[in-house]
Amino acid sequence: MEPRPECSGNFTAHDKMLFTLVAPLVLLAIVFAFAIVRTAINANLARRHHPPDSEVSWHEEFVAREHQAAKKATATATSVFVMASIFFFRSCLKPFKCEDDGTGALFMVSNPEVECGDNDEYNELRRLGTLGLIAYMAVYITLTCLLYTSPSPRD
């Protein structure tokens, strides 16, 4: 089987799998940073725009702002999770799809230079793929449980 030209640079199959596994962590860090900044901005806005003679405390206004932001963030995060899951899941399954090259040897379809079988490189890719699938399932179950059990304030 002739190697395909790659448009993604000189990365090995192992490097690509590591990028796949690290990408969700980077996305999570960005989301946490956004949540911290958003909370600080909402607290500042609630304090500054709160009239002194109001019967409602600035904290109640802050909680209302955070609740609205959390609802929007949950809807957005769910959509991003579903879309990103497709690509993450497919990347984690790549080590398990091998094809015969016509001589009886099996090679990975996504990385034809990697021979499927009992060798260190392929076993490491399968291990990383399995780790990614287990992590995906754990995150999915955790998110589902958190969304199901989280109290929903009355609108």
Side-chain angles (χ1 to χ4, degrees):
M1 180 179 294
E2 192 173 314
R4 298 183 310 199
E6 290 290 330
C7 298
S8 58
N10 285 331
F11 297 109
T12 65
H14 186 264
D15 294 339
K16 292 175 189 176
M17 184 60 75
L18 287 177
F19 291 149
T20 298
L21 296 177
V22 170
L25 299 175
V26 172
L27 180 62
L28 190 61
I30 291 169
V31 169
F32 280 142
F34 172 75
I36 290 168
V37 169
R38 185 203 70 220
T39 301
I41 289 171
N42 279 342
N44 189 25
L45 286 173
R47 269 191 239 125
R48 283 195 338 203
H49 292 89
H50 182 69
D53 58 345
S54 174
E55 293 181 13
V56 178
S57 73
W58 74 268
H59 186 263
E60 290 176 13
E61 184 179 334
F62 166 70
V63 170
R65 283 178 183 269
E66 280 294 296
H67 176 66
Q68 288 299 319
K71 285 171 58 175
K72 291 176 184 174
T74 301
T76 303
T78 303
S79 299
V80 169
F81 180 76
V82 168
M83 293 300 294
S85 292
I86 295 166
F87 300 106
F88 183 80
F89 208 71
R90 286 187 64 193
S91 292
C92 289
L93 288 173
K94 284 181 180 181
F96 302 101
K97 185 169 183 177
C98 296
E99 189 175 82
D100 188 341
D101 69 345
T103 66
L106 294 174
F107 291 90
M108 283 180 55
V109 173
S110 61
N111 292 295
E113 68 276 1
V114 177
E115 185 175 1
C116 300
D118 194 21
N119 63 63
D120 290 340
E121 183 180 19
Y122 181 67
N123 289 336
E124 177 68 9
L125 289 172
R126 287 186 61 163
R127 187 183 69 74
L128 289 174
T130 303
L131 177 68
L133 294 172
I134 291 170
Y136 172 82
M137 288 184 269
V139 168
Y140 180 80
I141 291 168
T142 302
L143 286 176
T144 303
C145 290
L146 288 174
L147 287 172
Y148 182 74
T149 61
S150 67
S152 177
R154 299 195 187 271
D155 294 336

